[in-house]
Amino acid sequence: MQTAQRIIKGYRRRRFIVCAAMAVLVLFLTLSVRYIAERNLNEQRVQGFNERAIITIENILAPLDEVSADVTRLVGMPCEAALLRMREHVARMQTLRSITLIKDGVLYCSSIFGSRNVPVSQLQPRLPDSSPLLLLSTDSSLLKGSPILVSWHPLADGSQNGVMEIVNIEMLTGLMSEPERPWVSRAVLNVAGSHLEYGKGLLAQVSVNKGLVSHEMASEKFPFSIISIGPSAGDLALKNLPTQFPLALILSMLIGYITWLATANRMSFSWEINLGLASREFEVFCQPLLNARNQQCVGVELLLRWNNPRQGWISPEVFIPLAEQQNLIAPLTRFVLDEAVRHLDMFPKSRDFHIGVNVAASHFHNGEIIGDLKRYWFPSNAIQPLMLELTERDALPDVDHRVVRALHRLGVSLAIDDFGTGQSSLAYLETLSPDVLKIDKSFTAAIGTDAVNSTVTDIIIALAQRLGIDLVAEGVETPEQAEYLRNHGVDILQGYLFARPMPLKEFPRWLEGRSPPPPHHNGHAVPVIPLH
């Protein structure tokens, strides 16, 4: 069986574990949420950088289509006639370095050099082409070796005629692709398989160092893409996570404290008792009381047992005091009364057979016990008398004497249980007017062994006889104890010598095999225990 200290310690341990688990869970969830939020924000920043770079380049390249639409009409005209118009366009667009006219694959007019006669394939091997092209290349005429962006616009007649526009790509990369640290450490413009990185010029290929990741985004309007290279969003978020720890720790401690308060009732012995009552885990046992002279069963004391599926068997010496501390003794008493009424058929239908129920003094406050008896006991019209057994664990002088008198008027007997071990006072024997004193088993066990307690037992017996109060001896375990009590005038005995507590359903079988019915006198049963 469990001890009170072990049960309470177990509840506190489980409660602490739950609160600690909640705190750790909240800490983990808070840091996880912050990590995910920070990671997503970093990804959005990288994506935003790529989008801004693409929009910048698209805004620069968009006017080139308008310029080419105007300049293509000049193809075939003498260079002197077209030159002024071409230079006006270059002057108006800061990013445009030059415009050239190509006829039959020959560059014959440049906005910078004027008339020329150079096959365009010598300058750009991929030109002329029948389709519009966007190329990354190096300048071989003005600023030799510098990167340029070539925009090729062929005429629609399928010939080798067209317009080639040279964009100042270094200025362009300065406008759109300066890295945004720490999210973007490198930015690369990709056009037709060629790569231009900010600050490094043209690259044959793009390499990504260990620990870094790349994100590529393509333009929907022009044939180019942007690659941004930098630490992964997760690594950046993880690196920034320690700054979120203080707030997460405070939040987790707050949730842990709230959980501690919230579980005060649910993870406590009071909650366990309420759950046990709701689940009908309690079971009522009975222990017979026998006449010391003829060994006839004259009543039973109803005892509560608890086979807790979570804790195992819990002794009444454990859960009864705890229930009293938690103000739950009254619900347990109601349960016993309800079970007694439900099993009345198992007891002899005789007024010479009483049913004893243990009650606490706190149940007497404001007449609560009378209300419960009127609700559970009296509607059953039980023939058997009811005896309420008050334990001396409670402050018996605090019992409302008006309630005691009302009980007597209702025909309910009153017994003081475990007499001599608790808050004994000779004064309240008169004020409570008990019908029965139950001698505690510790005094019964001392018979023949302990001179002091044996003397106290004799004093209790003499006191009860002097006051006209009936006696019941508890804990009778040997024939010598039974003989001693019988010789000293104790009429009713209870203990393992006669019967151990048993489930209610076993009582009829025990009673049937115990002894014949009590003798009759003039057709009426002879009372074997006087009840006032």
Side-chain angles (χ1 to χ4, degrees):
M1 294 223 180
Q2 301 280 5
T3 64
Q5 294 79 4
R6 182 178 178 184
I7 291 176
I8 293 175
K9 183 178 179 181
Y11 281 120
R12 289 176 178 172
R13 181 175 64 253
R14 287 194 295 274
R15 188 178 172 195
F16 175 79
I17 291 174
V18 169
C19 295
M22 283 297 299
V24 172
L25 178 62
V26 170
L27 179 65
F28 174 77
L29 290 177
T30 301
L31 293 177
S32 298
V33 169
R34 292 303 306 158
Y35 168 80
I36 294 173
E38 187 72 17
R39 184 195 63 189
N40 293 342
L41 181 60
N42 292 336
E43 291 176 348
Q44 292 173 6
R45 286 167 173 163
V46 173
Q47 184 176 4
F49 171 85
N50 290 345
E51 290 176 349
R52 289 192 298 273
I54 287 177
I55 291 174
T56 300
I57 298 177
E58 287 179 345
N59 291 338
I60 292 174
L61 295 180
L64 296 182
D65 290 339
E66 299 178 4
V67 172
S68 64
D70 182 58
V71 174
T72 51
R73 295 196 295 265
L74 304 178
V75 176
M77 294 177 57
C79 186
E80 293 77 6
L83 191 58
L84 179 60
R85 185 63 175 168
M86 294 166 57
R87 287 177 175 173
E88 287 177 352
H89 284 298
V90 173
R92 194 165 53 248
M93 297 183 61
Q94 295 181 354
T95 57
L96 192 59
R97 179 180 294 184
S98 67
I99 300 175
T100 58
L101 303 180
I102 291 87
K103 182 178 180 181
D104 298 329
V106 176
L107 190 158
Y108 75 95
C109 187
S110 168
S111 62
I112 296 177
F113 298 107
S115 297
R116 299 193 68 187
N117 186 20
V118 180
V120 70
S121 59
Q122 291 182 8
L123 303 176
Q124 299 295 332
R126 296 186 58 179
L127 302 180
D129 195 283
S130 58
S131 301
L133 292 177
L134 195 64
L135 305 173
L136 275 176
S137 184
T138 54
D139 192 355
S140 59
S141 301
L142 185 61
L143 299 175
K144 295 183 178 181
S146 63
I148 57 175
L149 180 65
V150 178
S151 178
W152 165 252
H153 301 273
L155 269 61
D157 56 8
S159 62
Q160 294 183 338
N161 303 336
V163 174
M164 183 173 65
E165 297 167 323
I166 308 299
V167 178
N168 187 353
I169 194 60
E170 285 190 327
M171 177 183 289
L172 184 61
T173 56
L175 289 174
M176 64 84 191
S177 57
E178 183 176 359
E180 293 183 359
R181 301 180 187 276
W183 309 286
V184 178
S185 56
R186 296 169 57 194
V188 180
L189 173 65
N190 303 288
V191 180
S194 299
H195 315 287
L196 176 65
E197 182 174 352
Y198 174 79
K200 294 185 179 180
L202 291 179
L203 301 175
Q205 61 181 5
V206 179
S207 60
V208 180
N209 295 335
K210 186 178 181 180
L212 302 179
V213 294
S214 62
H215 302 272
E216 184 172 4
M217 179 178 290
S219 169
E220 296 180 356
K221 298 179 180 179
F222 298 96
F224 73 90
S225 65
I226 293 292
I227 296 180
S228 57
I229 301 172
S232 70
D235 290 345
L236 287 175
L238 193 62
K239 185 177 180 180
N240 190 49
L241 199 58
T243 62
Q244 308 295 329
F245 186 79
L247 178 61
L249 183 61
I250 293 174
L251 183 60
S252 67
M253 292 176 65
L254 177 61
I255 295 299
Y257 178 69
I258 293 175
T259 304
W260 180 266
L261 296 179
T263 56
N265 291 326
R266 184 168 181 82
M267 296 194 69
S268 64
F269 199 77
S270 60
W271 176 83
E272 192 78 32
I273 291 178
N274 286 320
L275 179 61
L277 287 171
S279 304
R280 303 194 70 83
E281 297 169 0
F282 291 93
E283 184 178 358
V284 175
F285 279 48
C286 66
Q287 187 172 23
L289 284 72
L290 280 74
N291 184 282
R293 304 295 176 183
N294 57 22
Q295 303 295 300
Q296 295 299 309
C297 182
V298 295
V300 291
E301 178 185 0
L302 299 185
L303 306 169
L304 201 57
R305 296 292 183 263
W306 188 8
N307 186 9
N308 188 313
R310 297 163 296 281
Q311 301 279 355
W313 282 99
I314 300 180
S315 169
E317 296 178 355
V318 173
F319 72 79
I320 293 297
L322 292 175
E324 292 174 348
Q325 294 175 13
Q326 301 292 333
N327 296 320
L328 289 173
I329 195 66
L332 292 178
T333 303
R334 296 185 190 106
F335 179 82
V336 173
L337 289 171
D338 184 56
E339 287 293 291
V341 170
R342 291 178 61 242
H343 296 87
L344 277 176
D345 292 341
M346 296 185 176
F347 304 117
K349 293 180 173 58
S350 170
R351 294 201 57 80
D352 300 326
F353 183 93
H354 77 275
I355 297 175
V357 176
N358 291 283
V359 293
S362 59
H363 205 164
F364 281 64
H365 293 167
N366 300 320
E368 185 179 6
I369 184 63
I370 295 179
D372 288 336
L373 290 178
K374 290 181 178 180
R375 179 182 176 186
Y376 292 97
W377 179 259
F378 293 122
S380 68
N381 297 316
I383 298 175
Q384 303 89 338
L386 178 66
M387 178 183 292
L388 299 182
E389 300 184 9
L390 268 169
T391 175
E392 282 198 276
R393 278 194 303 265
D394 296 314
L396 296 185
D398 292 338
V399 174
D400 192 334
H401 305 148
R402 293 171 298 177
V403 176
V404 174
R405 290 193 293 269
L407 289 173
H408 284 148
R409 287 194 299 269
L410 292 170
V412 177
S413 301
L414 187 65
I416 297 180
D417 197 12
D418 302 329
F419 184 77
T421 61
Q423 303 179 34
S424 299
S425 172
L426 298 180
Y428 66 72
L429 287 179
E430 181 178 359
T431 57
L432 293 181
S433 300
D435 301 283
V436 176
L437 291 184
K438 300 190 72 173
I439 302 173
D440 186 72
K441 58 185 179 182
S442 62
F443 296 110
T444 302
I447 293 174
T449 60
D450 189 326
V452 174
N453 282 339
S454 181
T455 302
V456 173
T457 304
D458 293 341
I459 294 174
I460 293 174
I461 294 173
L463 176 65
Q465 292 172 346
R466 183 71 175 266
L467 295 176
I469 301 175
D470 297 318
L471 284 168
V472 174
E474 298 179 304
V476 180
E477 297 185 357
T478 66
E480 292 76 16
Q481 295 169 353
E483 181 68 19
Y484 180 91
L485 293 166
R486 182 169 55 251
N487 292 337
H488 284 74
V490 179
D491 296 322
I492 307 300
L493 306 179
Q494 177 184 0
Y496 289 177
L497 177 63
F498 311 108
R500 291 177 176 269
M502 65 190 73
L504 292 180
K505 62 182 179 180
E506 296 181 8
F507 178 72
R509 185 171 54 188
W510 176 89
L511 186 62
E512 182 180 355
R514 178 68 190 175
S515 60
H520 285 67
H521 180 71
N522 294 331
H524 300 283
V526 177
V528 291
I529 177 171
L531 297 177
H532 299 287

